[in-house]
Amino acid sequence: MIFTFAEAESFSTYSVQCVQEALEEFGCKIRKIECKAEETRLFRFLQDTQSSQMGKLGVFQSEQKKRQFLNRLQSELVKRGIVDVLRNGIKVYPVDLIMFYLTPTENNEKAREMFQKNIFSVTRQLCYSQDAGKLALDLCLFINGFRGCRTR
């Protein structure tokens, strides 16, 4: 089954809301979870879909370039939010990177091929606090290495 981005976003929002309500019912305090990129899936997606752009950035040649790229990505996530970054990509001089390929039209084979390279994954028991290791989500959805866990 293939979901459109809007359907996936709606499902994600609904799922987070249900988890929040259930936790609040049991008196659990909900902490803010920042959106971060899961490096392995993120870099696999970028290498599979935009290897020439990644080569220009030199991300795979040095740890320093990799850290610079991840810092830039994190600043864009904080400034614009995960949905905007996924929809519009990011600019990292000298390239523009696509972070998610939208649902293709019926006759566009190239768009369909690129859409199929998106990496959708689910992680069970995701710890989200370095201070308290027992704080974890039962389930987290990822799109191209981005986890969109939002709590209030």
Side-chain angles (χ1 to χ4, degrees):
M1 177 179 264
I2 296 176
F3 294 101
T4 65
F5 186 72
E7 290 169 334
E9 183 179 17
S10 175
F11 175 75
S12 174
T13 301
Y14 175 73
S15 299
V16 168
Q17 189 176 29
C18 288
V19 169
Q20 285 175 345
E21 290 170 4
L23 289 173
E24 287 168 359
E25 225 174 271
F26 289 102
C28 296
K29 204 159 198 149
I30 300 173
R31 298 175 182 225
K32 184 178 181 208
I33 302 170
E34 294 180 11
C35 297
K36 295 194 179 205
E38 200 271 334
E39 289 182 32
T40 305
R41 291 182 186 115
L42 171 67
F43 286 129
R44 188 174 75 210
F45 167 76
L46 291 171
Q47 186 63 30
D48 288 350
T49 60
Q50 301 160 85
S51 58
S52 64
Q53 288 91 329
M54 293 304 287
K56 289 177 186 175
L57 292 175
V59 170
F60 301 117
Q61 280 81 36
S62 108
E63 194 61 32
Q64 179 186 6
K65 294 276 189 188
K66 185 178 188 179
R67 287 290 132 219
Q68 287 175 336
F69 171 77
L70 290 172
N71 289 338
R72 171 79 171 130
L73 177 58
Q74 183 63 29
S75 71
E76 288 294 311
L77 288 169
V78 169
K79 184 170 68 174
R80 296 172 30 212
I82 193 168
V83 173
D84 188 61
V85 168
L86 284 171
R87 284 185 180 159
N88 300 309
I90 64 170
K91 296 178 189 313
V92 183
Y93 183 80
V95 300
D96 293 339
L97 294 172
I98 297 167
M99 304 311 264
F100 177 79
Y101 286 94
L102 299 172
T103 307
T105 57
E106 281 184 36
N107 298 325
N108 191 339
E109 288 302 317
K110 179 67 175 168
R112 182 181 316 280
E113 178 185 320
M114 297 310 286
F115 177 78
Q116 289 175 347
K117 290 185 178 186
N118 285 321
I119 302 170
F120 296 93
S121 55
V122 177
T123 298
R124 189 174 169 270
Q125 287 300 114
L126 179 70
C127 293
Y128 64 86
S129 173
Q130 294 177 358
D131 300 331
K134 293 183 179 181
L135 296 176
L137 295 171
D138 288 334
L139 183 75
C140 189
L141 304 174
F142 289 83
I143 301 173
N144 297 334
F146 292 96
R147 62 178 178 242
C149 305
R150 293 183 300 175
T151 62
R152 295 168 201 223

